[in-house]
PDB file of all heavy atoms in Angstrom:
ATOM      1  N   ALA A1137      14.399 -10.754  -9.072  1.00  0.00           N
ATOM      2  CA  ALA A1137      13.485  -9.872  -9.798  1.00  0.00           C
ATOM      3  C   ALA A1137      14.220  -8.841 -10.634  1.00  0.00           C
ATOM      4  O   ALA A1137      13.856  -8.515 -11.753  1.00  0.00           O
ATOM      5  CB  ALA A1137      12.501  -9.198  -8.827  1.00  0.00           C
ATOM      6  N   ILE A1138      15.302  -8.288 -10.045  1.00  0.00           N
ATOM      7  CA  ILE A1138      16.113  -7.308 -10.774  1.00  0.00           C
ATOM      8  C   ILE A1138      16.855  -7.934 -11.964  1.00  0.00           C
ATOM      9  O   ILE A1138      16.866  -7.395 -13.057  1.00  0.00           O
ATOM     10  CB  ILE A1138      17.122  -6.601  -9.840  1.00  0.00           C
ATOM     11  CG1 ILE A1138      16.398  -5.911  -8.694  1.00  0.00           C
ATOM     12  CG2 ILE A1138      17.954  -5.601 -10.603  1.00  0.00           C
ATOM     13  CD1 ILE A1138      17.300  -5.439  -7.539  1.00  0.00           C
ATOM     14  N   LEU A1139      17.389  -9.096 -11.687  1.00  0.00           N
ATOM     15  CA  LEU A1139      18.138  -9.835 -12.742  1.00  0.00           C
ATOM     16  C   LEU A1139      17.242 -10.079 -13.965  1.00  0.00           C
ATOM     17  O   LEU A1139      17.630  -9.890 -15.113  1.00  0.00           O
ATOM     18  CB  LEU A1139      18.660 -11.146 -12.200  1.00  0.00           C
ATOM     19  CG  LEU A1139      19.744 -11.869 -12.970  1.00  0.00           C
ATOM     20  CD1 LEU A1139      20.968 -11.001 -13.146  1.00  0.00           C
ATOM     21  CD2 LEU A1139      20.108 -13.169 -12.262  1.00  0.00           C
ATOM     22  N   ASP A1140      16.021 -10.500 -13.694  1.00  0.00           N
ATOM     23  CA  ASP A1140      15.058 -10.719 -14.758  1.00  0.00           C
ATOM     24  C   ASP A1140      14.765  -9.414 -15.518  1.00  0.00           C
ATOM     25  O   ASP A1140      14.764  -9.386 -16.735  1.00  0.00           O
ATOM     26  CB  ASP A1140      13.758 -11.339 -14.196  1.00  0.00           C
ATOM     27  CG  ASP A1140      12.777 -11.659 -15.304  1.00  0.00           C
ATOM     28  OD1 ASP A1140      13.131 -12.417 -16.252  1.00  0.00           O
ATOM     29  OD2 ASP A1140      11.632 -11.155 -15.243  1.00  0.00           O
ATOM     30  N   MET A1141      14.536  -8.357 -14.745  1.00  0.00           N
ATOM     31  CA  MET A1141      14.220  -7.050 -15.351  1.00  0.00           C
ATOM     32  C   MET A1141      15.344  -6.587 -16.247  1.00  0.00           C
ATOM     33  O   MET A1141      15.125  -6.005 -17.345  1.00  0.00           O
ATOM     34  CB  MET A1141      13.969  -6.007 -14.238  1.00  0.00           C
ATOM     35  CG  MET A1141      13.683  -4.605 -14.776  1.00  0.00           C
ATOM     36  SD  MET A1141      13.164  -3.492 -13.471  1.00  0.00           S
ATOM     37  CE  MET A1141      11.435  -3.933 -13.344  1.00  0.00           C
ATOM     38  N   LEU A1142      16.598  -6.822 -15.870  1.00  0.00           N
ATOM     39  CA  LEU A1142      17.718  -6.369 -16.684  1.00  0.00           C
ATOM     40  C   LEU A1142      17.833  -7.107 -18.008  1.00  0.00           C
ATOM     41  O   LEU A1142      18.524  -6.661 -18.918  1.00  0.00           O
ATOM     42  CB  LEU A1142      19.025  -6.518 -15.889  1.00  0.00           C
ATOM     43  CG  LEU A1142      19.134  -5.614 -14.676  1.00  0.00           C
ATOM     44  CD1 LEU A1142      20.439  -5.877 -13.910  1.00  0.00           C
ATOM     45  CD2 LEU A1142      19.044  -4.110 -15.056  1.00  0.00           C
ATOM     46  N   THR A1143      17.127  -8.241 -18.178  1.00  0.00           N
ATOM     47  CA  THR A1143      17.148  -8.997 -19.460  1.00  0.00           C
ATOM     48  C   THR A1143      16.247  -8.332 -20.515  1.00  0.00           C
ATOM     49  O   THR A1143      16.423  -8.571 -21.710  1.00  0.00           O
ATOM     50  CB  THR A1143      16.723 -10.423 -19.274  1.00  0.00           C
ATOM     51  OG1 THR A1143      15.308 -10.523 -18.912  1.00  0.00           O
ATOM     52  CG2 THR A1143      17.580 -11.151 -18.230  1.00  0.00           C
ATOM     53  N   TYR A1144      15.300  -7.504 -20.067  1.00  0.00           N
ATOM     54  CA  TYR A1144      14.394  -6.886 -21.054  1.00  0.00           C
ATOM     55  C   TYR A1144      14.314  -5.386 -20.991  1.00  0.00           C
ATOM     56  O   TYR A1144      13.766  -4.753 -21.889  1.00  0.00           O
ATOM     57  CB  TYR A1144      12.989  -7.481 -20.906  1.00  0.00           C
ATOM     58  CG  TYR A1144      12.354  -7.382 -19.546  1.00  0.00           C
ATOM     59  CD1 TYR A1144      11.864  -6.130 -19.047  1.00  0.00           C
ATOM     60  CD2 TYR A1144      12.220  -8.475 -18.697  1.00  0.00           C
ATOM     61  CE1 TYR A1144      11.292  -6.058 -17.818  1.00  0.00           C
ATOM     62  CE2 TYR A1144      11.675  -8.397 -17.461  1.00  0.00           C
ATOM     63  CZ  TYR A1144      11.179  -7.188 -16.994  1.00  0.00           C
ATOM     64  OH  TYR A1144      10.611  -7.072 -15.751  1.00  0.00           O
ATOM     65  N   ALA A1145      14.806  -4.786 -19.931  1.00  0.00           N
ATOM     66  CA  ALA A1145      14.674  -3.317 -19.804  1.00  0.00           C
ATOM     67  C   ALA A1145      15.435  -2.597 -20.830  1.00  0.00           C
ATOM     68  O   ALA A1145      16.630  -2.835 -21.060  1.00  0.00           O
ATOM     69  CB  ALA A1145      15.134  -2.877 -18.390  1.00  0.00           C
ATOM     70  N   LYS A1146      14.776  -1.652 -21.535  1.00  0.00           N
ATOM     71  CA  LYS A1146      15.477  -0.711 -22.424  1.00  0.00           C
ATOM     72  C   LYS A1146      16.093   0.396 -21.622  1.00  0.00           C
ATOM     73  O   LYS A1146      17.144   0.921 -21.917  1.00  0.00           O
ATOM     74  CB  LYS A1146      14.483  -0.159 -23.436  1.00  0.00           C
ATOM     75  CG  LYS A1146      13.937  -1.190 -24.437  1.00  0.00           C
ATOM     76  CD  LYS A1146      12.883  -0.598 -25.339  1.00  0.00           C
ATOM     77  CE  LYS A1146      12.293  -1.661 -26.247  1.00  0.00           C
ATOM     78  NZ  LYS A1146      11.128  -1.105 -27.041  1.00  0.00           N
ATOM     79  N   ILE A1147      15.386   0.838 -20.554  1.00  0.00           N
ATOM     80  CA  ILE A1147      15.910   1.761 -19.562  1.00  0.00           C
ATOM     81  C   ILE A1147      16.035   1.004 -18.246  1.00  0.00           C
ATOM     82  O   ILE A1147      15.002   0.547 -17.701  1.00  0.00           O
ATOM     83  CB  ILE A1147      14.942   2.979 -19.378  1.00  0.00           C
ATOM     84  CG1 ILE A1147      14.797   3.757 -20.698  1.00  0.00           C
ATOM     85  CG2 ILE A1147      15.516   3.895 -18.288  1.00  0.00           C
ATOM     86  CD1 ILE A1147      13.777   4.888 -20.606  1.00  0.00           C
ATOM     87  N   LYS A1148      17.252   0.790 -17.787  1.00  0.00           N
ATOM     88  CA  LYS A1148      17.356   0.007 -16.544  1.00  0.00           C
ATOM     89  C   LYS A1148      16.956   0.913 -15.371  1.00  0.00           C
ATOM     90  O   LYS A1148      16.976   2.176 -15.478  1.00  0.00           O
ATOM     91  CB  LYS A1148      18.798  -0.461 -16.367  1.00  0.00           C
ATOM     92  CG  LYS A1148      19.809   0.571 -15.955  1.00  0.00           C
ATOM     93  CD  LYS A1148      21.187  -0.057 -15.751  1.00  0.00           C
ATOM     94  CE  LYS A1148      22.186   1.004 -15.379  1.00  0.00           C
ATOM     95  NZ  LYS A1148      23.556   0.476 -15.315  1.00  0.00           N
ATOM     96  N   PRO A1149      16.500   0.320 -14.279  1.00  0.00           N
ATOM     97  CA  PRO A1149      16.121   1.112 -13.106  1.00  0.00           C
ATOM     98  C   PRO A1149      17.282   1.960 -12.626  1.00  0.00           C
ATOM     99  O   PRO A1149      18.411   1.450 -12.525  1.00  0.00           O
ATOM    100  CB  PRO A1149      15.680   0.081 -12.088  1.00  0.00           C
ATOM    101  CG  PRO A1149      16.179  -1.235 -12.568  1.00  0.00           C
ATOM    102  CD  PRO A1149      16.344  -1.129 -14.052  1.00  0.00           C
ATOM    103  N   ALA A1150      16.986   3.235 -12.324  1.00  0.00           N
ATOM    104  CA  ALA A1150      18.044   4.119 -11.837  1.00  0.00           C
ATOM    105  C   ALA A1150      18.309   3.930 -10.365  1.00  0.00           C
ATOM    106  O   ALA A1150      19.434   4.139  -9.902  1.00  0.00           O
ATOM    107  CB  ALA A1150      17.643   5.581 -12.122  1.00  0.00           C
ATOM    108  N   VAL A1151      17.295   3.510  -9.617  1.00  0.00           N
ATOM    109  CA  VAL A1151      17.343   3.413  -8.156  1.00  0.00           C
ATOM    110  C   VAL A1151      16.601   2.182  -7.669  1.00  0.00           C
ATOM    111  O   VAL A1151      15.547   1.845  -8.212  1.00  0.00           O
ATOM    112  CB  VAL A1151      16.732   4.709  -7.535  1.00  0.00           C
ATOM    113  CG1 VAL A1151      16.604   4.570  -5.993  1.00  0.00           C
ATOM    114  CG2 VAL A1151      17.550   5.920  -7.902  1.00  0.00           C
ATOM    115  N   LEU A1152      17.119   1.566  -6.645  1.00  0.00           N
ATOM    116  CA  LEU A1152      16.402   0.561  -5.872  1.00  0.00           C
ATOM    117  C   LEU A1152      16.202   1.100  -4.467  1.00  0.00           C
ATOM    118  O   LEU A1152      17.173   1.485  -3.808  1.00  0.00           O
ATOM    119  CB  LEU A1152      17.208  -0.738  -5.762  1.00  0.00           C
ATOM    120  CG  LEU A1152      16.698  -1.796  -4.788  1.00  0.00           C
ATOM    121  CD1 LEU A1152      15.353  -2.369  -5.220  1.00  0.00           C
ATOM    122  CD2 LEU A1152      17.698  -2.883  -4.564  1.00  0.00           C
ATOM    123  N   GLN A1153      14.961   1.114  -4.014  1.00  0.00           N
ATOM    124  CA  GLN A1153      14.652   1.548  -2.645  1.00  0.00           C
ATOM    125  C   GLN A1153      14.327   0.325  -1.792  1.00  0.00           C
ATOM    126  O   GLN A1153      13.376  -0.399  -2.137  1.00  0.00           O
ATOM    127  CB  GLN A1153      13.523   2.567  -2.619  1.00  0.00           C
ATOM    128  CG  GLN A1153      13.270   3.142  -1.245  1.00  0.00           C
ATOM    129  CD  GLN A1153      12.193   4.215  -1.183  1.00  0.00           C
ATOM    130  OE1 GLN A1153      11.332   4.200  -0.346  1.00  0.00           O
ATOM    131  NE2 GLN A1153      12.298   5.171  -2.119  1.00  0.00           N
ATOM    132  N   ILE A1154      15.071   0.127  -0.687  1.00  0.00           N
ATOM    133  CA  ILE A1154      14.834  -1.020   0.167  1.00  0.00           C
ATOM    134  C   ILE A1154      15.077  -0.639   1.644  1.00  0.00           C
ATOM    135  O   ILE A1154      15.642   0.405   1.932  1.00  0.00           O
ATOM    136  CB  ILE A1154      15.809  -2.201  -0.181  1.00  0.00           C
ATOM    137  CG1 ILE A1154      17.250  -1.703  -0.309  1.00  0.00           C
ATOM    138  CG2 ILE A1154      15.371  -2.893  -1.457  1.00  0.00           C
ATOM    139  CD1 ILE A1154      18.292  -2.791  -0.556  1.00  0.00           C
ATOM    140  N   GLU A1155      14.591  -1.511   2.502  1.00  0.00           N
ATOM    141  CA  GLU A1155      14.802  -1.324   3.945  1.00  0.00           C
ATOM    142  C   GLU A1155      16.265  -1.560   4.272  1.00  0.00           C
ATOM    143  O   GLU A1155      16.830  -2.634   3.966  1.00  0.00           O
ATOM    144  CB  GLU A1155      13.933  -2.289   4.755  1.00  0.00           C
ATOM    145  CG  GLU A1155      14.108  -2.138   6.256  1.00  0.00           C
ATOM    146  CD  GLU A1155      13.204  -3.064   7.056  1.00  0.00           C
ATOM    147  OE1 GLU A1155      12.274  -3.658   6.490  1.00  0.00           O
ATOM    148  OE2 GLU A1155      13.513  -3.262   8.256  1.00  0.00           O
ATOM    149  N   LEU A1156      16.936  -0.587   4.876  1.00  0.00           N
ATOM    150  CA  LEU A1156      18.367  -0.707   5.230  1.00  0.00           C
ATOM    151  C   LEU A1156      18.656   0.032   6.547  1.00  0.00           C
ATOM    152  O   LEU A1156      18.273   1.194   6.710  1.00  0.00           O
ATOM    153  CB  LEU A1156      19.230  -0.128   4.155  1.00  0.00           C
ATOM    154  CG  LEU A1156      19.380  -0.885   2.839  1.00  0.00           C
ATOM    155  CD1 LEU A1156      20.003   0.010   1.761  1.00  0.00           C
ATOM    156  CD2 LEU A1156      20.213  -2.150   3.031  1.00  0.00           C
TER     157      LEU A1156
END
Side-chain angles (χ1 to χ4, degrees):
I1138 300 168
L1139 196 59
D1140 183 55
M1141 177 173 280
L1142 294 177
T1143 66
Y1144 56 75
K1146 294 176 183 173
I1147 299 174
K1148 75 178 179 186
V1151 172
L1152 168 68
Q1153 184 175 133
I1154 48 175
E1155 180 180 345
L1156 287 167

